[in-house]
Amino acid sequence: MQASFTEENYLKAIYHLSEEGRQQVNTNRIAMVLNTKPASVTDMLKKLSEKNLLNYTRYQGVSLTDPGRNIALKVIRKHRLWEFFLVEKLNFGWDEVHDLAEQLEHIQSVELINRLDSFLGFPEYDPHGDPIPKDNGTIKCYDLKPISALHVGETGTIAGVREHSPLFLQYLEKMNLVIGKKISMEEVIAYDETVVITTENNQKINISKAAAKNILITI
Amino acid sequence: MQASFTEENYLKAIYHLSEEGRQQVNTNRIAMVLNTKPASVTDMLKKLSEKNLLNYTRYQGVSLTDPGRNIALKVIRKHRLWEFFLVEKLNFGWDEVHDLAEQLEHIQSVELINRLDSFLGFPEYDPHGDPIPKDNGTIKCYDLKPISALHVGETGTIAGVREHSPLFLQYLEKMNLVIGKKISMEEVIAYDETVVITTENNQKINISKAAAKNILITI
DNA sequence: TTGTTGTTTTAGATGTGTCTAAATTTTTAA
DNA sequence: TTAAAAATTTAGACACATCTAAAACAACAA
Ligand SMILES: [Mn+2]
Ligand SMILES: [Mn+2]
Ligand SMILES: [Mn+2]
Ligand SMILES: [Mn+2]
């Protein structure tokens, strides 16, 4: 039961969408993230439903079946392992690897990806802090909070991001707000909800409300 | 001027075919190596000719243009660098890597392949002894001879193979006839042209006529 | 030179994934 | 409850790469 390049992308997108909001995933949203048109999505949903990779009833949205979810997780595993490889071995920046991984994630070979995993030392997280699914289909469900959820005086460690655009990642890099950094909440400016945080070396940094929502921490 | 997955495969196949026989490359031969039908080949030749990637006149066969040859060399560069990676870093056998490289060679990114090249230490040859084209499009034209061209008593070093099937490569591996081995020609059995060679540690090995033609050496 | 053979090309069709425009269904708001 | 708005699906078309069957052409031998 091999899924095509395009089918894999649909399954992955639907998986990601059902992670964020827990309701049914709707057609327009899928079209948006896949950069395509709703009519095309409907066609594909019918096909994937036919193949039993998702549950689909007209006008009702979709959810993945177990086989569908499994394929999605395999693709995500490949995506994140390749991203790790690109950053750790080829010295790419964390803002440069996503598009490349979008291509590499479709290379078909279980043996290859398991050897890559081993070569990389079985990493648990990708360069953006996202957990890497295991070969058996398990994935750590991590619950991180955005910085904006911290109360004044509380402390946390940066562990992930909610947005993966190069612009955002470059900005974080420049501010040295990278995975593993300890920060604490200083105050929230009443005027525009700008967040002020302090780093380990007592540096104060101002972060916009939008940015603070997209930086994830553990406590 | 981006070539599609399929177009790249055609250009690569035509490049390889024009390397062996130096005449024009003909339709049926292309269909054979690409595992497709002559009618399909004609369609594609018209398209590639339209794009100025090859010279095509009906019934006359084809030859690559400079842009076409260039794309072919880029694909071959990627193929051979990935093969090197798979063998040297992920410990695949030289008989296991070709099909994987057939997929990886289509990943689009100049930056990726140049970083991979650097990561691997700028290798000159792939695991089968084939020269790896440089980023600037140059490729070592090597002239190796088959073992069968040695005269009795002459010595050579194994430097390549003319056939890449897993079965053949596994056979060579088992016989320890790998790249770099020094061998000398002992005799040719008159009856069926079986070739007898001796290795450095004075071991005698019998090789069929067919195999002797497909093992390449430098003198 | 002419007929035969093998190669190559055309004609017409298929499968996949996509699109626009129009029709249908659901949701929302009056 | 009903009308308008938004979401979704159908209808019909297209691009790409492929196929089979039939026609056109080239090479060769009689
Ligand atoms: Mn990514
Ligand atoms: Mn990532
Ligand atoms: Mn190969
Ligand atoms: Mn090779």
Side-chain angles (χ1 to χ4, degrees):
Chain A
M1 192 181 319
Q2 288 268 77
S4 76
F5 184 96
T6 314
E7 288 170 342
E8 285 190 343
N9 278 336
Y10 272 88
L11 294 171
K12 183 177 58 134
I14 294 165
Y15 177 88
H16 284 315
L17 287 172
S18 35
E19 286 300 278
E20 33 193 71
R22 74 285 246 132
Q23 331 92 320
Q24 296 276 92
V25 179
N26 57 318
T27 306
N28 275 6
R29 200 87 183 73
I30 298 172
M32 180 145 302
V33 304
L34 286 180
N35 237 319
T36 182
K37 296 286 140 59
S40 311
V41 174
T42 301
D43 286 346
M44 183 54 90
L45 294 184
K46 284 195 275 197
K47 189 161 69 139
L48 291 173
S49 166
E50 202 59 47
K51 288 194 177 188
N52 247 298
L53 297 174
L54 46 77
N55 306 112
Y56 169 68
T57 29
R58 282 155 77 251
Y59 296 102
Q60 299 302 127
V62 289
S63 60
L64 293 178
T65 61
D66 280 353
R69 195 182 121 91
N70 238 290
I71 292 177
L73 280 170
K74 282 199 164 67
V75 176
I76 292 167
R77 169 172 162 79
K78 289 189 274 182
H79 183 104
R80 292 178 179 169
L81 280 171
W82 280 117
E83 281 190 342
F84 190 93
F85 168 76
L86 293 170
V87 168
E88 292 298 317
K89 300 293 183 179
L90 302 194
N91 301 116
F92 278 98
W94 72 340
D95 56 303
E96 303 174 305
V97 296
H98 181 76
D99 290 350
L100 274 169
E102 287 291 305
Q103 296 184 60
L104 288 160
E105 72 188 5
H106 300 289
I107 301 290
Q108 301 283 5
S109 165
V110 176
E111 184 68 14
L112 168 60
I113 207 64
N114 287 342
R115 278 182 193 243
L116 183 66
D117 196 9
S118 158
F119 176 62
L120 299 172
F122 304 103
E124 307 254 300
Y125 300 98
D126 87 353
H128 312 104
D130 295 309
I132 299 175
K134 294 292 167 199
D135 187 36
N136 59 23
T138 59
I139 181 171
K140 274 211 189 76
C141 19
Y142 66 143
D143 77 313
L144 305 178
K145 290 178 188 169
I147 284 186
S148 53
L150 282 180
H151 298 122
V152 170
E154 283 183 337
T155 294
T157 305
I158 298 181
V161 291
R162 188 169 270 167
E163 138 136 40
H164 293 71
S165 71
L167 271 181
F168 181 58
L169 297 176
Q170 280 157 26
Y171 165 62
L172 293 187
E173 179 99 50
K174 192 171 146 195
M175 293 278 113
N176 206 17
L177 295 172
V178 296
I179 307 272
K181 278 276 174 234
K182 269 203 184 118
I183 56 105
S184 59
M185 167 65 77
E186 192 74 14
E187 66 169 308
V188 178
I189 310 281
Y191 171 58
D192 57 2
E193 298 182 63
T194 288
V195 169
V196 183
I197 59 178
T198 44
T199 63
E200 283 175 291
N201 47 340
N202 263 2
Q203 208 189 342
K204 281 193 188 178
I205 301 178
N206 281 20
I207 291 172
S208 73
K209 183 188 175 186
K213 273 190 180 163
N214 286 329
I215 305 174
L216 301 174
I217 53 171
T218 51
I219 300 179
Chain B
M1 191 183 317
Q2 288 268 76
S4 75
F5 184 95
T6 315
E7 288 169 344
E8 285 190 342
N9 278 336
Y10 271 87
L11 293 172
K12 183 177 57 134
I14 293 165
Y15 177 88
H16 284 314
L17 287 173
S18 35
E19 286 300 278
E20 32 193 73
R22 75 284 248 128
Q23 331 91 321
Q24 296 275 90
V25 179
N26 58 318
T27 305
N28 275 6
R29 200 87 181 73
I30 298 172
M32 180 146 301
V33 304
L34 286 180
N35 238 320
T36 181
K37 296 286 142 59
S40 312
V41 174
T42 300
D43 286 346
M44 185 55 90
L45 294 185
K46 285 195 274 195
K47 190 161 67 137
L48 291 173
S49 166
E50 202 59 48
K51 287 193 177 189
N52 247 298
L53 297 174
L54 46 77
N55 305 112
Y56 168 68
T57 28
R58 282 154 79 251
Y59 295 103
Q60 299 303 127
V62 288
S63 59
L64 295 179
T65 62
D66 279 353
R69 195 183 121 93
N70 238 291
I71 292 177
L73 280 170
K74 283 199 164 68
V75 176
I76 292 168
R77 169 172 162 80
K78 289 189 274 183
H79 184 103
R80 292 180 179 167
L81 279 172
W82 280 117
E83 281 190 343
F84 190 94
F85 168 76
L86 294 170
V87 167
E88 292 299 316
K89 301 292 183 180
L90 301 194
N91 301 116
F92 278 98
W94 73 340
D95 56 304
E96 302 174 305
V97 295
H98 181 76
D99 289 351
L100 274 169
E102 287 291 305
Q103 295 184 62
L104 289 161
E105 72 188 5
H106 300 289
I107 302 291
Q108 301 283 5
S109 165
V110 175
E111 185 67 14
L112 169 59
I113 207 64
N114 287 342
R115 278 182 193 243
L116 183 65
D117 196 8
S118 157
F119 176 63
L120 298 174
F122 305 103
E124 307 255 300
Y125 300 98
D126 87 352
H128 312 104
D130 296 308
I132 299 175
K134 294 294 168 198
D135 187 36
N136 60 21
T138 59
I139 182 171
K140 274 211 189 75
C141 18
Y142 65 143
D143 77 313
L144 304 179
K145 291 178 187 169
I147 284 186
S148 53
L150 281 180
H151 297 122
V152 170
E154 284 182 336
T155 293
T157 305
I158 297 181
V161 290
R162 188 169 271 167
E163 139 136 37
H164 294 70
S165 71
L167 271 180
F168 181 59
L169 296 175
Q170 280 158 27
Y171 165 62
L172 293 187
E173 179 100 51
K174 192 171 144 196
M175 294 279 114
N176 205 18
L177 295 172
V178 296
I179 308 271
K181 277 278 174 227
K182 270 205 184 115
I183 57 103
S184 59
M185 167 65 78
E186 191 76 12
E187 65 168 309
V188 178
I189 309 282
Y191 170 57
D192 57 1
E193 299 180 63
T194 288
V195 169
V196 184
I197 59 179
T198 44
T199 63
E200 283 175 291
N201 46 341
N202 263 3
Q203 207 189 341
K204 280 192 189 178
I205 301 178
N206 282 20
I207 291 172
S208 73
K209 183 188 175 186
K213 274 191 181 163
N214 286 330
I215 305 175
L216 301 174
I217 53 169
T218 50
I219 300 179

